[in-house]
Amino acid sequence: MNCCCLFKKKSKKNISTEYLDSVNSRVNVLSTSELNCSKDENPTDIQKEIPAIIDIASINERATKQKWNVSSKFDLLCLDRILSPLKEYSLNVELPPKTLSIENVYGYQGIYARKNLYYPMDSPSAQPIIYFSGKLGILSYFSLKIQVFYTGHNRPITCMAIHPDSKICATGEYGSGPSIHIWNIPYIERADSRDYETNIVKPLFILNLDKRFIQTVCISFSRCGNWLIVIALNQSYISEILCYDWKKGKEVSCQLCHDDKVFNLIVNPFSRREFVTLGVKHIRFWSIDNLIHPVDNSEKNQNLTVSHISGAYLKSKTFASGTIKGDVYFWKNCLLSVVCNNVHKGPVTVVSPLPNNNFLTGGRDGRIVYWNEQHQPINEYTFDNNSCIRSIDAGGLEGILWGWGDGIGRRASRSFKGLNGGFKNRASVCSNSFLQELTRSNSLLTVSSNTYSVNVNNISNNLEILSNDEPVDEQKMADISYIVGCEDSSMYIFSQTDKEPIRLTEGSYCSSDGYELWGLDTHPLNSNIFITAGDDGFIKVYNLEKKELIRKKNYGIRLRSICYNPSGINIAVGTNDGSFFIVNENLDIIISAIIDRRATIYDLAYSPNGKYLAVASHDNYIDIYEVESDLGYYQRFMSCRGHSSYVTHIDWDINSSMIRSNSANNELFYWSLITDATKAIDPTSYRKVDWHSSKCILQWETKGIFGPKIVKNTTTQEEIEHFLSPCTVYCCDRIKINNDLQLLAVGDAFGNIYIYRFPAFSSDMKYQAFHAHGGPVANVKFAVNLKTLISVGATDGLVIQWNLENID
């Protein structure tokens, strides 16, 4: 029998006693009378686990602060002061003949997220893994290398639930008067099938909550599938429980849940009416009759002094809950029976049941602990990057799809006849028999007493090579045991056939601590390669064709900007401490490291001839370096001083002799590299220049992108208006399709991307708008293949690959 990646055989002798003794030395089993001996909770841990409350107003405020004291209603009259180039442009205000469609999303939303990753065993045979990121509901058919998206949300998604029949998904959002969208999970048999769309065109139902609510915290379908239970946060920051007869769109009941924060909602798989809520210093068991009310016995446990953030029912009908301090509590008949202390170092972020009475716990310490039927931790797996475990799913939908309460499940399926007429009876190819076989085997009693930690990164000098030319083995995908989502935006599959986890996707780690993703560039020669750099210290190289991360390296410092040199041999990287360095394209050699400034390097740009490197910093300077050779000799020969705020964007002209730049307080400056004092410089010479790039958001060619803009949701047909000014536009890039057509891509602070004809100098310019990111679009860049656009999100860590297609 193949051995699971969680375990490692050490010798033939039985060492189970040795291992359990070592575990018991770390884990203390307490009775309820000993609970008061535990230490106080860490307020920082509680704050990190509370779901983020963000709305458009805060994004506007944040954008305004970043751009000094400039009003979001920017005085557009100042655009008239920007003189036009002497070259004549023909004005074409019509819609561009190209549109965007999402092809792939790199990354998984691991911030403030729980229960946002599902692998329903009874799902369509192509085995979609369902999760959300930004404003997108994502169904990844990894065995087919296909992603399908639900794009109906106008605001970032905060929670998700799967119906007991595994063919329907519900997603909730935040913002005043949030809505819950209920939509079908499509059935895809083959990658070359033509009977599916990349976007889910229409939701089944949309439930609009009252304006007094500011966020949906968590949602779940009842065991019978007839009700949708919602935990929503009101304007007084008090959590309320709402119960919907969702097929009728009718609110059945509403009840105050708790006057403190609620983290999670768990449905009892053995009951049509019962569920559990967990939060700050409370855990409550509830029942739905005509009204929602707490179970009487649970009131005896309300003197708890510990916060519960995760939980799950086991096959024995015992409820296991994880706390903010790393403890695991066991509840029987709504009463506390046993407590295991110090299981994790820090919060137990997830409890996931397995088909038998075993279960898994994951924590912020980056460990997954395996528990046996006697509720003892018998082994563990540790990720080398120690990233917080945010979600684990073994495919049973909290036990419902494994037949726990099977009679109720049959009634739930019958109640949906006719609702999913497009679905036919079909058998799932997913099998979790491996876990069942493993837990019945005596091999569990012969595990190593030490933690078996597979080197996931498998790096040399902290460099990770992730690319694999071998195609995805469909058999491996069919033998999935469970999937894991981490806070660093990575997702893994633990399978029967591999002794190491399979990395499915990875974006960039963003957090409430200020970690963001800004650096992006595409390879100047290879149309399949692009690169990112973020505050997590990683440079990551992606392959567009393979749709995967192929290489990454952590430099241990916050990275802000990145760019290739014209040959693609070297990469310049700007940091948050004022330094920048040059590495080779394989990321294994640092060629040069230069520290001439003391604050963030916001932009870098090589001249088209490769002889110069311009570096823009928070110190209001642009430094020009002469590149003597590819071996690393960089000599500063010019500093451009004049901006009254930090420099955000730089463009070179095609002759490598002039620069234009934007600053944070909306200045547009032009610079010449002519240093000979005897040569006179024409003050209007910039009007004769052809520019090599168009990263500057404030220029004559982009005057038409500012003002009120309408973003239409193609799924719900809802229209939302935003006012774009230089303080709410973060990035732009242009591409030349042919001699008659150039396109401009623009990213704003609200997560939207716009496509214009270039130049877009008229306020009458028509555009196409697309929404996907859950926060500001930090950067956009076209690939040299003329058919791909890459966008990165500053706060959601998402990397999105867009296709540039002709409009039918």
Side-chain angles (χ1 to χ4, degrees):
M1 184 185 77
N2 292 325
C3 184
C4 177
C5 54
L6 275 173
F7 310 102
K8 183 178 181 181
K9 293 184 179 179
K10 188 173 183 180
S11 63
K12 293 183 178 179
K13 65 179 181 178
N14 191 325
I15 59 172
S16 60
T17 304
E18 176 188 349
Y19 182 78
L20 289 177
D21 289 342
S22 68
V23 169
N24 289 332
S25 66
R26 295 185 287 111
V27 180
N28 301 321
V29 180
L30 304 178
S31 65
T32 56
S33 61
E34 300 175 285
L35 289 180
N36 293 329
C37 300
S38 58
K39 298 180 181 179
D40 293 335
E41 295 174 354
N42 185 347
T44 304
D45 285 341
I46 297 177
Q47 186 64 34
K48 285 185 177 181
E49 292 302 324
I50 293 175
I53 304 170
I54 306 173
D55 55 15
I56 297 301
S58 66
I59 294 177
N60 266 330
E61 180 183 0
R62 178 177 179 273
T64 302
K65 288 180 179 178
Q66 282 197 344
K67 300 290 184 177
W68 287 39
N69 58 352
V70 180
S71 171
S72 61
K73 296 292 184 180
F74 177 71
D75 182 10
L76 299 182
L77 294 178
C78 74
L79 297 176
D80 295 335
R81 301 171 191 154
I82 303 177
L83 300 180
S84 64
L86 297 181
K87 178 182 177 180
E88 292 186 3
Y89 287 98
S90 60
L91 178 61
N92 189 341
V93 299
E94 296 302 317
L95 277 175
K98 298 279 187 178
T99 187
L100 291 180
S101 64
I102 304 175
E103 182 176 6
N104 195 65
V105 173
Y106 303 86
Y108 150 83
Q109 186 168 314
I111 310 171
Y112 295 115
R114 279 169 291 275
K115 292 180 63 181
N116 67 335
L117 187 60
Y118 292 94
Y119 181 78
M121 288 172 53
D122 199 30
S123 62
S125 62
Q127 308 176 29
I129 294 175
I130 307 169
Y131 54 101
F132 64 83
S133 291
K135 299 174 185 175
L136 301 173
I138 305 175
L139 291 82
S140 287
Y141 300 80
F142 284 101
S143 60
L144 303 178
K145 287 199 171 182
I146 292 175
Q147 286 186 343
V148 176
F149 308 96
Y150 178 71
T151 58
H153 287 275
N154 296 319
R155 291 173 285 194
I157 301 174
T158 57
C159 52
M160 172 178 282
I162 304 296
H163 190 271
D165 75 347
S166 76
K167 300 177 181 68
I168 295 174
C169 182
T171 46
E173 63 186 21
Y174 62 56
S176 178
S179 61
I180 298 172
H181 294 220
I182 302 170
W183 40 276
N184 265 331
I185 299 173
Y187 171 52
I188 302 177
E189 293 187 79
R190 303 185 311 275
D192 59 351
S193 175
R194 296 184 180 180
D195 58 355
Y196 77 93
E197 298 287 340
T198 56
N199 288 340
I200 299 172
V201 178
K202 188 178 180 181
L204 294 174
F205 300 98
I206 296 180
L207 305 176
N208 294 310
L209 275 63
D210 191 85
K211 290 292 184 181
R212 74 176 186 275
F213 295 109
I214 59 176
Q215 180 179 344
T216 53
V217 178
C218 45
I219 59 177
S220 185
F221 287 98
S222 63
R223 177 62 182 86
C224 64
N226 294 329
W227 299 313
L228 181 66
I229 307 168
V230 181
I231 303 291
L233 200 64
N234 62 27
Q235 294 177 352
S236 301
Y237 297 97
I238 296 176
S239 298
E240 298 186 33
I241 304 177
L242 306 174
C243 184
Y244 285 90
D245 185 341
W246 62 270
K247 288 182 288 184
K248 297 180 181 179
K250 178 182 178 182
E251 181 181 322
V252 176
S253 181
C254 180
Q255 171 73 33
L256 290 179
C257 177
H258 202 269
D259 56 3
D260 215 328
K261 300 296 186 299
V262 176
F263 293 129
N264 222 328
L265 164 67
I266 310 295
V267 169
N268 187 342
F270 302 98
S271 170
R272 299 179 69 248
R273 296 189 173 101
E274 296 179 0
F275 63 95
V276 184
T277 59
L278 307 102
V280 175
K281 298 185 179 180
H282 80 277
I283 176 172
R284 283 188 176 177
F285 298 80
W286 302 79
S287 180
I288 304 174
D289 293 326
N290 292 326
L291 295 173
I292 303 174
H293 62 85
V295 177
D296 293 338
N297 288 340
S298 67
E299 294 300 323
K300 299 178 181 179
N301 301 298
Q302 295 311 300
N303 60 348
L304 295 177
T305 59
V306 64
S307 298
H308 296 258
I309 62 176
S310 59
Y313 277 93
L314 310 180
K315 191 175 182 180
S316 61
K317 298 185 179 182
T318 300
F319 184 78
S321 63
T323 73
I324 205 84
K325 297 189 298 181
D327 310 330
V328 177
Y329 285 46
F330 295 93
W331 308 77
K332 195 71 174 179
N333 297 324
C334 306
L335 295 174
L336 180 61
S337 58
V338 176
V339 177
C340 291
N341 276 356
N342 306 318
V343 177
H344 288 271
K345 297 178 181 178
V348 183
T349 54
V350 58
V351 178
S352 180
L354 297 178
N356 44 36
N357 201 32
N358 299 10
F359 67 99
L360 304 169
T361 59
R364 194 182 291 165
D365 54 5
R367 295 166 52 239
I368 299 175
V369 177
Y370 191 99
W371 298 68
N372 64 9
E373 296 181 357
Q374 287 74 41
H375 302 163
Q376 296 174 314
I378 60 174
N379 214 325
E380 67 182 46
Y381 176 87
T382 303
F383 284 92
D384 282 352
N385 55 9
N386 294 321
S387 179
C388 170
I389 309 298
R390 275 298 176 185
S391 188
I392 303 175
D393 189 57
L397 201 61
E398 299 173 345
I400 294 174
L401 299 182
W402 291 324
W404 298 359
D406 191 46
I408 298 174
R410 288 195 295 270
R411 289 197 296 273
S413 297
R414 286 198 299 269
S415 68
F416 279 83
K417 288 183 178 180
L419 185 60
N420 295 291
F423 293 90
K424 300 179 181 179
N425 292 331
R426 51 189 179 270
S428 171
V429 299
C430 173
S431 173
N432 276 18
S433 59
F434 171 66
L435 274 182
Q436 299 175 23
E437 178 184 3
L438 182 64
T439 50
R440 287 196 302 265
S441 171
N442 291 331
S443 63
L444 276 182
L445 302 178
T446 58
V447 297
S448 170
S449 60
N450 299 319
T451 302
Y452 174 43
S453 177
V454 178
N455 189 351
V456 178
N457 294 321
N458 191 22
I459 59 177
S460 176
N461 295 326
N462 204 26
L463 173 66
E464 183 172 359
I465 307 298
L466 301 166
S467 179
N468 191 335
D469 293 332
E470 297 180 2
V472 176
D473 189 339
E474 294 187 4
Q475 182 60 36
K476 290 180 181 180
M477 304 300 292
D479 292 334
I480 291 175
S481 298
Y482 54 89
I483 55 176
V484 178
C486 300
E487 193 173 75
D488 65 353
S489 187
S490 60
M491 187 192 305
Y492 300 89
I493 279 184
F494 287 80
S495 71
Q496 170 183 358
T497 52
D498 268 2
K499 293 185 179 179
E500 291 189 7
I502 304 171
R503 189 193 308 263
L504 291 179
T505 186
E506 183 171 340
S508 183
Y509 173 63
C510 294
S511 72
S512 60
D513 299 330
Y515 276 47
E516 296 182 347
L517 173 63
W518 287 86
L520 170 68
D521 198 14
T522 53
H523 198 283
L525 302 177
N526 190 334
S527 61
N528 289 326
I529 300 298
F530 71 93
I531 194 167
T532 65
D535 286 341
D536 57 1
F538 276 98
I539 295 177
K540 298 182 179 181
V541 183
Y542 296 85
N543 187 291
L544 290 172
E545 184 179 8
K546 296 179 180 179
K547 302 177 182 177
E548 64 184 20
L549 177 68
I550 60 174
R551 188 181 298 113
K552 71 176 182 178
K553 186 174 181 179
N554 189 347
Y555 290 88
I557 188 173
R558 291 192 176 192
L559 309 178
R560 177 70 182 212
S561 51
I562 194 166
C563 72
Y564 279 101
N565 73 343
S567 64
I569 296 175
N570 292 336
I571 303 167
V573 187
T575 72
N576 272 22
D577 67 356
S579 65
F580 71 93
F581 57 93
I582 314 298
V583 296
N584 67 338
E585 60 181 337
N586 292 325
L587 308 182
D588 55 355
I589 299 175
I590 296 180
I591 298 171
S592 291
I594 301 170
I595 306 176
D596 285 330
R597 297 297 171 195
R598 295 175 295 178
T600 305
I601 305 298
Y602 287 104
D603 197 12
L604 311 103
Y606 279 97
S607 62
N609 61 12
K611 292 183 179 180
Y612 307 107
L613 174 65
V615 180
S617 72
H618 193 84
D619 296 331
N620 305 357
Y621 289 96
I622 302 173
D623 294 319
I624 311 297
Y625 293 82
E626 189 173 6
V627 182
E628 295 291 338
S629 69
D630 289 339
L631 298 179
Y633 184 70
Y634 284 72
Q635 177 66 42
R636 183 174 63 173
F637 75 95
M638 179 183 290
S639 290
C640 303
R641 178 180 181 180
H643 279 294
S644 60
S645 182
Y646 58 89
V647 185
T648 57
H649 301 90
I650 304 172
D651 285 324
W652 282 92
D653 74 325
I654 60 174
N655 295 321
S656 303
S657 61
M658 291 193 70
I659 291 175
R660 67 182 173 191
S661 57
N662 287 164
S663 67
N665 60 346
N666 307 319
E667 295 170 332
L668 172 60
F669 279 18
Y670 296 88
W671 314 85
S672 174
L673 268 63
I674 298 176
T675 57
D676 190 346
T678 63
K679 293 183 179 181
I681 301 176
D682 181 3
T684 62
S685 60
Y686 67 88
R687 299 179 66 186
K688 306 173 186 178
V689 171
D690 288 329
W691 296 99
H692 175 69
S693 61
S694 291
K695 293 189 295 182
C696 289
I697 60 176
L698 193 60
Q699 52 176 295
W700 181 84
E701 292 87 346
T702 63
K703 290 168 60 175
I705 69 175
F706 302 109
K709 304 297 175 183
I710 300 294
V711 179
K712 184 176 182 179
N713 189 319
T714 56
T715 302
T716 62
Q717 302 303 313
E718 183 180 357
E719 294 183 350
I720 297 180
E721 181 176 344
H722 298 293
F723 189 91
L724 296 192
S725 69
C727 71
T728 54
V729 175
Y730 284 0
C731 55
C732 64
D733 189 37
R734 71 172 167 92
I735 189 172
K736 184 177 181 180
I737 304 297
N738 51 52
N739 291 331
D740 299 324
L741 178 62
Q742 296 187 73
L743 298 178
L744 178 70
V746 179
D748 70 7
F750 312 104
N752 305 314
I753 295 176
Y754 306 83
I755 297 294
Y756 291 85
R757 289 178 182 268
F758 183 87
F761 58 87
S762 171
S763 59
D764 297 326
M765 298 291 297
K766 295 182 180 179
Y767 56 89
Q768 297 184 64
F770 309 89
H771 66 283
H773 287 282
V777 180
N779 217 327
V780 292
K781 190 72 176 179
F782 285 103
V784 295
N785 61 9
L786 307 182
K787 58 183 180 181
T788 303
L789 176 71
I790 306 298
S791 65
V792 295
T795 57
D796 58 17
L798 289 187
V799 181
I800 301 182
Q801 177 179 334
W802 304 77
N803 265 347
L804 199 59
E805 300 173 342
N806 291 326
I807 298 177
D808 296 333

